[in-house]
């Protein structure tokens, strides 16, 4: 008889031991997939240990070693077959679909039932020799050994089919990595079946586990090393998977609203220290709650706790405890820092059932809702329609671009001095069958993120040129049309050239177009923006500064820009209620006048306000008082009807 060799088993033993140690150093000891990955490794280590023992005893072949020899073979068969069971559980955990089996303790049944089955079969074998027998120190396979192979084979086939069924939960690379381990294992099983002295099966499993540890279970890719908890990409992956499987979960959102202030005032390190302290408090509470929950740190002071299988009572209690735990001051850099932490519970999928909405809702939580210090509930805060829209917005925009669904409206701008409409602002409109008109304030920022604003901006500019170049425009007596430029457009090197070419194509003179920029347009990538502005100014365009007075108005920057017009933001229309702010407004107007700038007041809705701004010597008024933005046809009609019959002469009323 050929001597058996344990070289492969020995190598497997050594590699697996390293993998096990590395798993703990790489913080892979938490979470369901890690649990089954580690159990697979442990059972594989045990199997290789038993096999080394069995091989040695088989080679010695002494009858008095019967007890040890039988124990080694039984141990090997048990642990080896259980390895396949845990590997299957690892795969199911990858798809996070245990809940689909309905049972509460499904994972326990999954592991215990085969374990009992194998234990009974191997115990009976000791009396019947149906799997293997040992006579006079010689090991022989029994008639039913093939049955163990068939059972393991069935588990193996399920391991292949399962990820294929749930392939939409995997990226192609991940699915391929997972499935590519099976041919290797199959070859090893066949070789060992026909050549039992070559103990290669466990080595093949080891190589597969090594492969998985390198390409699939990569904690470096999903764990935030500062806080030691999962990071954004893990959250995105897990949440998308839960939504796709319709798994009931509760998510506790925790936003530290003053994260950036802490980072600015203290330091980057202190902010990291703060995150670590918060993460530790959350970890302790989640641990004490004894629920199946995962904790994530996304970024910018935003934590998420996902409570699997959504036991609402426990979620409520955990959220309250986290909220209370974040209230005491944190000692940082020798100071006591108070956190402004928003804690909010979202029940999924009943309240939110898609990932984009989840992200949008989480982002807006601390910016849109006043701080109360109590635990919030998404059910009470959600404007479902809006978040449904946010979730679909990407697709709506892409479809609208493809199907040319954007339209340009015009809002007249009235000159109090000339007592007629002198200009208008072009404003983009997007109509959707399901949601009606979608506000540019929602979709413009989205298109700025994706870069689609460049196409949209070009479309608006071309439409305006086409309008100005048309004979109708000339009849209206308008001097120019204002076109909004997004900061993203201004950052494009080719913007100026592009606009000049379009203008020439429609025979439009540059005086007919005034370009609106916002202050932020000047804040980033100054050089390209300045260059674009210079080329456009040289070509004869003029500029206005939009939304002046909002956010962080920077006087120095405003004064240094080559502006013709400054547009006072809508919020100035509320100044009348506060006498001190009225003084600010009066002085701003004076300052702008002294700099020879024209002033357009936006958002004027009442006659009273027109009078007030008129008294302040603001010449141009834009607002619903005169007209809402109108489709081109209606706009032309509106202006035509007012060419001779100008609206009530408010200036003369004022002067009286
Ligand atoms: P904006 O450039 O400051 O435009 C003025 C906004 O104020 C318009 O909102 C207009 O409908 C609104 N408005 C005018 N009069 C009144 C009023 O009396 N009361 C109130 N409450 N609102 C008034 P709209 O059309 O929703 O546009 C919002 C913003 O979206 C614009 O603010 C602009 O920043 C951006 N936007 C619109 N069209 C374009 C475009 O073609 N390109 C770019 N880049 N941005 C655009
Ligand atoms: Mg504007
Ligand atoms: Mg504005």
């Amino acid at each position: 008889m050929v001597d058996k060799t344990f070289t492969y088993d020995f190598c497997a033993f050594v590699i697996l031991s390293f993998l096990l140690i590395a798993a703990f150093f790489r913080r892979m000891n938490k979470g369901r997939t890690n649990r089954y990955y580690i159990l697979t490794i442990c059972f594989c280590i045990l199997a290789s240990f038993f096999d080394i023992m069995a091989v040695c005893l088989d080679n010695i072949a002494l009858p008095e070693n019967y007890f040890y020899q039988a124990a080694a073979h039984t141990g090997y068969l048990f642990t080896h077959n259980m390895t396949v069971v845990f590997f299957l559980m690892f795969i199911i955990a990858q798809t996070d679909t245990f809940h689909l089996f309905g049972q509460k303790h499904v994972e326990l049944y999954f592991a215990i039932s085969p374990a009992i089955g194998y234990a009974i079969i191997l115990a009976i074998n000791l009396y019947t020799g149906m799997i293997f027998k040992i006579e006079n120190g010689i090991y022989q396979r029994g008639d039913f050994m093939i049955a163990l192979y068939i059972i393991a084979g069935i588990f193996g086939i399920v391991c292949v089919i399962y990820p294929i069924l749930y392939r939409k939960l995997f990226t192609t690379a991940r699915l391929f990595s997972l499935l590519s381990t099976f041919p290797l294992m199959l070859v090893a099983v066949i070789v060992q079946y026909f050549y039992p002295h070559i103990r290669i099966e466990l080595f093949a499993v080891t190589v597969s586990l090594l492969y998985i540890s390198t390409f699939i279970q990569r904690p470096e890719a999903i764990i935030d090393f500062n806080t030691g908890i999962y990071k954004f990409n893990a959250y995105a992956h897990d949440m998308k998977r839960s939504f796709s499987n319709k798994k009931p979960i509760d998510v506790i959102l925790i936003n530290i609203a003053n994260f950036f202030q802490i980072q600015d005032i203290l330091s980057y390190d202190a902010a990291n220290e703060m995150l670590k302290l918060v993460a530790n408090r959350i970890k302790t509470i989640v641990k004490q709650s004894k629920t199946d929950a995962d904790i994530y740190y996304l970024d910018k002071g935003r934590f998420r706790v996902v409570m699997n299988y959504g036991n609402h009572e426990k979620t409520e209690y955990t959220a309250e405890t986290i909220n209370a735990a974040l209230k005491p001051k944190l000692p940082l850099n020798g100071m006591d820092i108070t956190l402004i932490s928003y804690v909010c519970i979202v029940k999924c999928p009943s309240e939110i059932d898609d990932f984009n909405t989840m992200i949008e809702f989480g982002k807006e939580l601390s910016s849109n809702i006043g701080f109360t210090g109590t635990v919030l509930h998404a059910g009470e805060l959600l404007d479902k329609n809006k978040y449904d829209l946010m979730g679909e917005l990407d697709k709506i925009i892409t479809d609208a671009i493809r199907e040319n669904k954007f339209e340009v409206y015009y809002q007249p701008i009235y000159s109090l001095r000339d007592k007629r409409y002198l200009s208008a602002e072009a404003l983009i409109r997007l109509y959707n069958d399901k949601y009606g008109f979608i506000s540019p304030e929602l979709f413009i920022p989205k298109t700025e993120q994706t870069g689609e604003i460049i196409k949209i901006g070009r479309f608006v500019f071309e439409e305006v040129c086409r309008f100005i170049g048309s004979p109708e425009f000339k009849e209206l007596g308008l001097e120019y049309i204002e076109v909004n430029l997004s900061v993203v457009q201004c950052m494009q090197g080719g913007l100026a050239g592009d606009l000049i070419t379009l203008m020439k194509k429609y025979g439009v003179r540059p005086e007919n177009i005034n370009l609106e920029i916002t202050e932020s347009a000047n804040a980033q990538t100054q050089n390209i923006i300045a260059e674009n502005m210079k080329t456009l100014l040289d070509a004869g365009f003029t500029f206005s500064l939009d939304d002046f007075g909002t956010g962080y108005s920077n006087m120095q920057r405003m004064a240094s820009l080559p502006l013709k017009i400054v547009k006072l933001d809508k919020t100035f229309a509320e100044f009348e209620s506060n006498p001190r702010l009225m003084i600010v407004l009066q002085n701003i107007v004076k300052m702008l006048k002294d700099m020879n700038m024209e002033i357009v007041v936006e958002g004027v809705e009442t006659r009273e306000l027109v009078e007030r701004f008129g008294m302040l010597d603001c010449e141009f008024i834009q607002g619903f008082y005169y007209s809402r933005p109108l489709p081109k046809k209606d706009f032309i009609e509106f202006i035509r009807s007012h060419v001779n019959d100008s609206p009530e002469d408010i200036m003369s009323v004022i002067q009286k």
Side-chain angles (χ1 to χ4, degrees):
M1 212 179 92
V2 196
D3 264 5
K4 292 179 177 174
T5 165
F6 60 72
T7 319
Y8 289 115
D9 280 337
F10 184 74
C11 291
F13 185 85
V14 173
I15 296 172
L16 289 165
S17 304
F18 277 119
L19 274 185
L20 187 63
I21 296 167
F24 285 92
F25 277 114
R26 294 166 80 201
R27 306 195 195 185
M28 293 167 72
N29 45 351
K30 291 210 186 65
R32 198 177 277 117
T33 44
N34 283 333
R35 181 158 69 228
Y36 296 118
Y37 170 73
I38 286 177
L39 273 169
T40 312
I41 294 183
C42 288
F43 271 70
C44 224
I45 291 179
L46 284 174
S48 50
F49 170 75
F50 282 125
D51 205 35
I52 292 170
M53 245 175 82
V55 165
C56 292
L57 294 167
D58 285 358
N59 287 346
I60 301 168
L62 289 176
E64 60 267 36
N65 285 341
Y66 173 80
F67 174 78
Y68 297 109
Q69 215 172 342
H73 279 284
T74 306
Y76 166 71
L77 287 173
F78 180 78
T79 48
H80 187 20
N81 281 291
M82 282 306 289
T83 306
V84 192
V85 174
F86 288 124
F87 193 66
L88 175 58
M89 294 183 77
F90 166 74
I91 295 216
I92 300 177
Q94 287 273 339
T95 60
D96 196 14
T97 47
F98 274 114
H99 64 286
L100 298 183
F101 293 91
Q103 296 277 356
K104 194 160 176 239
H105 299 296
V106 58
E107 291 172 64
L108 209 59
Y109 296 137
F110 251 87
I112 296 280
S113 326
I116 294 177
Y118 283 130
I120 293 173
I121 292 172
L122 291 168
I124 295 172
N125 171 66
L126 293 176
Y127 298 97
T128 59
M130 60 184 194
I131 306 289
F132 70 85
K133 51 180 173 273
I134 296 162
E135 279 169 7
N136 293 327
I138 309 284
Y139 166 89
Q140 278 176 333
R141 282 177 180 170
D143 296 338
F144 287 92
M145 176 60 108
I146 187 78
L148 283 190
Y149 271 87
I150 291 172
I151 297 171
I154 293 171
F155 274 110
I157 290 171
V158 181
C159 282
V160 177
I161 292 175
Y162 211 86
I164 294 178
L165 280 180
Y166 287 96
R167 62 191 168 277
K168 64 173 191 279
L169 302 177
F170 295 91
T171 57
T172 317
R174 212 174 156 87
L175 184 66
F176 182 77
S177 305
L178 204 59
L179 295 180
S180 60
T181 57
F182 291 104
L184 175 71
M185 289 203 247
L186 184 67
V187 170
V189 169
I190 294 171
V191 168
Q192 190 167 324
Y193 184 77
F194 290 106
Y195 305 98
H197 59 282
I198 305 176
R199 316 296 298 166
I200 202 171
E201 273 178 28
L202 285 173
F203 187 67
V205 176
T206 304
V207 172
S208 303
L209 287 172
L210 193 62
Y211 190 73
I212 284 170
S213 125
T214 319
F215 293 106
I216 297 177
Q217 290 298 89
R218 287 197 315 127
E220 298 78 6
I222 56 168
I223 287 179
D224 174 69
F225 264 70
N226 177 45
T227 54
I229 54 185
Y230 293 121
K231 53 188 181 189
F232 181 82
N233 48 357
Y235 178 68
H237 174 264
D238 294 353
M239 288 301 290
K240 282 181 188 168
R241 190 175 57 182
S242 296
F243 285 131
S244 164
N245 290 333
K246 300 199 168 26
K247 182 176 161 185
I249 51 172
D250 287 346
V251 185
I252 304 174
L253 317 184
I254 303 139
N255 284 10
I256 311 290
N258 55 343
F259 168 73
F260 283 113
Q261 280 99 311
I262 294 175
Q263 201 174 49
D264 287 349
I265 296 168
L266 300 177
S267 65
Y268 185 79
D269 287 341
N272 273 353
E273 186 57 32
M274 179 272 286
L275 293 175
K276 223 187 274 180
L277 289 172
V278 172
N280 285 341
R281 286 189 186 177
I282 298 176
K283 271 191 245 178
T284 316
I285 293 164
V286 168
K287 203 168 178 189
Q288 281 162 357
S289 80
K290 294 202 172 67
T291 38
D292 182 357
D294 293 309
I295 312 169
Y296 305 83
Y297 176 63
L298 311 190
D299 61 355
K300 302 172 189 165
R302 294 180 298 157
F303 293 84
R304 301 292 179 258
V305 179
V306 175
M307 312 278 287
N308 290 306
Y309 305 116
N311 173 339
H312 301 323
E313 244 168 69
K314 265 203 171 154
T315 307
E316 205 72 43
Y317 177 75
T318 312
E320 287 291 351
T321 322
I322 292 175
N323 194 36
L326 297 182
K327 287 216 162 25
K329 292 183 162 60
L330 289 182
L332 286 172
N333 274 13
M335 282 191 246
D336 283 337
I337 301 293
T338 306
L339 298 181
I340 300 176
S341 47
Y342 283 73
V343 178
C344 179
I345 299 174
V346 187
K347 293 173 191 153
C348 301
S350 61
E351 290 170 349
I352 291 183
D353 62 1
D354 76 294
F355 183 64
N356 283 338
T357 309
M358 195 74 195
I359 290 294
E360 294 297 336
F361 178 73
K363 247 194 235 164
E364 291 193 359
L365 187 62
S366 26
S367 49
N368 279 2
I369 298 158
F371 183 65
T372 61
T374 54
V375 172
L376 306 164
H377 294 85
E380 292 160 18
L381 306 171
L382 266 171
D383 173 354
K384 193 85 179 68
N385 200 31
K386 178 181 163 202
Y387 288 99
D388 280 355
L389 166 64
M390 290 311 279
E392 288 178 49
L393 199 51
D394 277 332
K395 190 175 173 311
I396 292 177
I397 294 170
T398 326
D399 290 351
I401 292 178
R402 201 185 45 240
E403 294 161 20
N404 288 328
K405 277 198 173 159
F406 288 105
E407 213 184 320
V408 177
Y409 276 37
Y410 297 88
Q411 185 175 30
I413 298 176
Y414 188 72
S415 161
L416 290 176
R417 192 162 306 138
D418 287 277
K419 301 185 189 71
R420 67 181 183 96
Y421 293 102
L422 271 190
S423 59
E425 177 171 6
L427 293 159
I428 188 140
R429 290 292 175 264
L430 170 58
Y431 183 81
N432 176 271
D433 292 339
K434 184 167 165 196
Y435 297 103
F437 280 105
I438 300 173
S439 165
E441 265 155 13
L442 280 183
F443 71 80
I444 294 275
K446 197 85 189 184
T447 57
E448 286 175 333
Q449 283 165 15
T450 57
E452 283 158 320
I453 186 67
I454 295 165
K455 271 191 204 156
I456 294 176
R458 196 174 191 282
F459 161 78
V460 173
F461 190 82
E462 184 158 13
E463 275 296 302
V464 170
C465 287
R466 191 174 289 137
F467 179 33
I468 297 175
S470 70
E472 293 137 303
F473 183 80
K474 306 206 165 60
E475 294 166 25
L476 301 177
L478 295 179
E479 291 184 355
Y480 58 89
I481 300 284
E482 307 206 336
V483 181
N484 289 285
L485 284 188
S486 148
V487 61
V488 178
Q489 280 175 283
C490 297
M491 276 156 32
Q492 303 302 308
L495 173 82
D498 214 27
L499 299 190
I500 293 168
T501 315
L502 278 175
M503 178 190 76
K504 286 187 180 150
K505 179 174 162 194
Y506 292 92
V508 171
R509 283 179 299 128
E511 310 86 88
N512 290 145
I513 294 179
N514 179 67
L515 299 168
E516 290 192 7
I517 54 167
T518 49
E519 269 182 293
S520 59
N522 199 32
Q524 306 144 8
T525 53
Q526 304 240 10
N527 285 347
I528 305 180
I529 295 173
E531 234 167 75
N532 271 326
M533 278 184 87
K534 186 172 178 318
T535 318
L536 290 166
L537 279 169
D538 290 348
F541 286 99
T542 52
F543 282 92
S544 60
L545 184 65
D546 202 356
D547 303 336
F548 182 70
T550 53
Y552 309 90
S553 291
N554 184 329
M555 298 291 170
Q556 203 181 0
R557 215 183 295 141
M558 185 270 295
S560 61
L561 283 171
L563 298 168
K564 178 182 167 203
I565 302 170
V566 169
K567 297 189 80 172
L568 296 187
D569 186 68
K570 288 196 271 291
T571 47
F572 276 104
E574 291 154 20
F575 267 27
E576 40 148 10
S577 54
N578 183 333
R580 288 166 73 104
L581 292 180
M582 208 56 200
I583 298 173
V584 173
L585 180 58
Q586 279 164 354
N587 284 288
I588 287 179
V589 172
K590 180 171 176 335
M591 177 183 77
L592 295 175
K593 290 269 160 193
D594 288 349
M595 286 193 274
N596 283 331
M597 298 209 204
E598 291 174 6
I599 299 171
V600 176
V601 189
E602 287 186 295
V604 176
E605 295 185 2
T606 59
R607 180 195 157 98
E608 217 187 341
L609 276 176
V610 179
E611 286 177 18
R612 269 181 190 273
F613 282 109
M615 278 196 284
L616 282 173
D617 209 14
C618 297
E619 188 190 338
F620 296 100
I621 307 282
Q622 175 181 357
F624 296 169
Y625 174 72
Y626 288 109
S627 168
R628 289 181 172 267
L630 300 167
K632 187 167 107 183
K633 205 168 121 275
D634 299 351
F635 171 75
I636 293 174
E637 233 160 72
F638 176 89
I639 300 289
R640 265 193 198 140
S641 67
H642 286 95
V643 168
N644 300 319
D645 143 43
S646 84
E648 195 187 354
D649 183 357
I650 288 182
M651 282 309 273
S652 58
V653 177
I654 297 165
Q655 275 146 19
K656 265 183 215 158

